[in-house]
Amino acid sequence: MTILYSLVARGTVVLAEFSATQTNAGAIARQILEKIPGVNDSHVSYSQDRYVFHVTRTDGITVLCVADDTAGRRIPFAFLEEIHGRFVKAYGRACHTALAYAMNEEFSRVLSQQMEYYSNDPNADRINRIRGEMSQVRNVMIENIDKVLERGDRLEMLVDKTEHMQGNTIRFRKQARRFRSSVWCRNVKLMVILILLLLVIIYVVLAFVCHGVTLPSCISTASIPFNPNTPTPKIPRRIPPKMPPPNPFCPRDTVKFGACLDLLGDKGSLVVGVPLGGKCCPLLQGLTDAEAAACLCTTVKESVLGITIEWSVAVSLMASGCKQEIPDGFKCI
């Protein structure tokens, strides 16, 4: 053990002490307390054989320890400063009026612990402790530098990823621009198709509306701008086809028309050479063509019995003999 004995005194009054071995260090320490001059603060060392007595006096409180001559001065005086600080902090102003050995029972344990610590623990040496702290600081700094370097690598990776993402963004913009152009072209084509389809529908509707009028003339007429001074063109009316009138009634007695049968020979053939101004033709005067045809048709159907003839042909022959015309589409039925 480096420190063998220690005490705390006020002048020559010992307040607490502790000895790690059985020596006469206590008696020699009391002699040294009597020889310390004055009351001023001091730091002195006394050599005795292979032991050194280290003494420090601060504010009237003296702290003494005995250590091997191989311990030097740094560790013993560090021990003395530590003991002085602890003693003053623990007892304050009471240490200036306390009796001899008044704090020995309690503070001797503190002396024992600190003697053990400063004798065996390498961290007790302030310089060694500072060196250890500096070593720890250096290790921390090295670790921080490694982290900074690693962070720098990560920053480079982030920069590379950022550049890659920027390139991807530019390519995405180009692709989006191409896609937008293709969609616009597709929409234009669809719009053109819809317009053409609408024009075709309008053309078909106009064709149905204009009926018999040709579509170009209808469209050209419809596209002529309105002018109040221009006469309205006449649109030709479509004349429906003339349908054959129904068989009218004969307004006269059909028995009298029996003379008309003289115009017909055997089997209903017209007799050539019969005078046309006979009894038949005067009966037809004053009748319309349709009425004359009706009277002749009735006479033929009622008088010509058992003879297979074409009644319409016979009526036509008799009418032409009297200079009458049969209406178009008339049939004797």
Side-chain angles (χ1 to χ4, degrees), residues 49-240:
D49 295 333
R50 59 187 185 88
Y51 299 103
V52 180
F53 291 80
H54 303 280
V55 183
T56 179
R57 175 180 288 178
T58 305
D59 297 333
I61 300 299
T62 302
V63 182
L64 181 148
C65 70
V66 180
D68 296 334
D69 56 358
T70 58
R73 291 172 55 88
R74 186 173 60 251
I75 295 177
F77 276 101
F79 167 77
L80 296 177
E81 291 178 3
E82 179 71 17
I83 294 301
H84 181 272
R86 286 175 176 267
F87 189 81
V88 173
K89 184 178 179 180
Y91 301 107
R93 300 182 64 84
C95 60
H96 297 285
T97 57
L99 299 176
Y101 293 98
M103 292 83 173
N104 186 63
E105 182 178 0
E106 181 179 356
F107 200 72
S108 61
R109 293 193 294 271
V110 177
L111 293 175
S112 174
Q113 293 174 359
Q114 294 302 314
M115 288 170 59
E116 179 71 20
Y117 172 74
Y118 278 90
S119 297
N120 300 322
D121 196 335
N123 292 327
D125 188 358
R126 182 179 298 176
I127 294 178
N128 291 334
R129 186 170 64 252
I130 293 174
R131 287 177 180 176
E133 292 176 355
M134 290 180 64
S135 178
Q136 292 179 358
V137 171
R138 187 172 68 87
N139 294 333
V140 172
M141 290 180 64
I142 292 174
E143 184 178 357
N144 291 335
I145 291 173
D146 293 338
K147 291 181 179 180
V148 169
L149 294 176
E150 184 179 359
R151 186 177 302 173
D153 295 337
R154 293 180 179 178
L155 290 175
E156 291 180 358
M157 292 176 62
L158 290 176
V159 170
D160 294 338
K161 290 182 179 179
T162 303
E163 294 178 353
H164 181 67
M165 292 178 64
Q166 186 176 4
N168 291 337
T169 303
I170 295 174
R171 286 193 295 271
F172 177 76
R173 288 179 179 176
K174 292 181 179 179
Q175 293 176 359
R177 194 177 296 112
R178 294 196 200 97
F179 178 75
R180 185 167 52 192
S181 300
S182 63
V183 171
W184 181 82
C185 294
R186 190 181 306 169
N187 291 336
V188 170
K189 292 179 181 179
L190 182 60
M191 186 65 67
V192 171
I193 292 173
L194 291 177
I195 292 174
L196 292 177
L197 182 60
L198 182 61
L199 291 177
V200 171
I201 294 174
I202 294 174
Y203 187 87
V204 173
V205 171
L206 290 177
F208 278 105
V209 170
C210 292
H211 292 291
V213 183
T214 57
L215 189 60
S217 62
C218 180
I219 296 175
S220 61
T221 303
S223 62
I224 296 174
F226 174 74
N227 188 354
N229 298 326
T230 303
T232 303
K234 294 182 179 180
I235 300 176
R237 296 178 59 188
R238 182 179 179 185
I239 300 176

